[in-house]
Amino acid sequence: MDLLQAFAALGGMHAYLRETCRGRFDHLRAPEPYRPSDTLVLDQVSRGTLGLLPTARGAADWSLLRLLDRTETPMGSRTLRRWLLAPLTSCTAIGRRLDAVEMLVETPDLRADLRALLG
């Protein structure tokens, strides 16, 4: 499916939701195309060697996900997991993500307000 077809499908879905749900959708972001080349593919062996996820062998306390996951919502936890399993490859995208993290680290009041809203 090319990008034009994807956006046409999204437009149809949006029209359907407007008609059937009668709600507002201001909270939705504009769609972004998914490009597999934007992330690094890690095979199962690499994931295990790097200790990214808890294992069935009881190593849950030592996985990177377990150590980093301080998210307030299930969606945040899933996003963090997805980011760990498919790291970015674009320097520009990495820079944007780091800038966002830096902003939250440097403004603890904003971070606390955001955590309270999500909690």
Side-chain angles (χ1 to χ4, degrees):
M1 177 183 293
D2 68 7
L3 202 54
L4 185 60
Q5 290 173 320
F7 278 110
L10 283 171
M13 183 176 68
H14 187 260
Y16 172 79
L17 290 173
R18 264 196 332 246
E19 183 67 30
T20 58
C21 296
R22 304 260 189 235
R24 296 182 54 112
F25 300 101
D26 298 337
H27 62 285
L28 296 178
R29 292 184 307 169
E32 297 174 10
Y34 169 73
R35 294 180 189 91
S37 62
D38 291 346
T39 59
L40 182 65
V41 176
L42 298 175
D43 63 20
Q44 198 68 24
V45 173
S46 298
R47 292 175 182 184
T49 303
L50 293 169
L52 299 178
L53 301 176
T55 65
R57 290 175 272 144
D61 291 340
W62 302 110
S63 72
L64 186 60
L65 179 62
R66 168 82 179 189
L67 294 172
L68 293 179
D69 193 354
R70 301 291 180 262
T71 57
E72 288 290 329
T73 65
M75 183 182 290
S77 188
R78 287 190 300 269
T79 299
L80 178 60
R81 177 187 170 97
R82 189 176 70 246
W83 286 359
L84 286 176
L85 295 179
L88 295 172
T89 57
S90 161
C91 290
T92 304
I94 293 168
R96 282 195 308 262
R97 190 176 290 173
L98 287 173
D99 290 343
V101 170
E102 181 180 31
M103 181 192 67
L104 290 171
V105 167
E106 292 180 351
T107 51
D109 292 341
L110 174 64
R111 186 176 66 244
D113 291 345
L114 182 59
R115 287 184 71 84
L117 285 171
L118 291 172

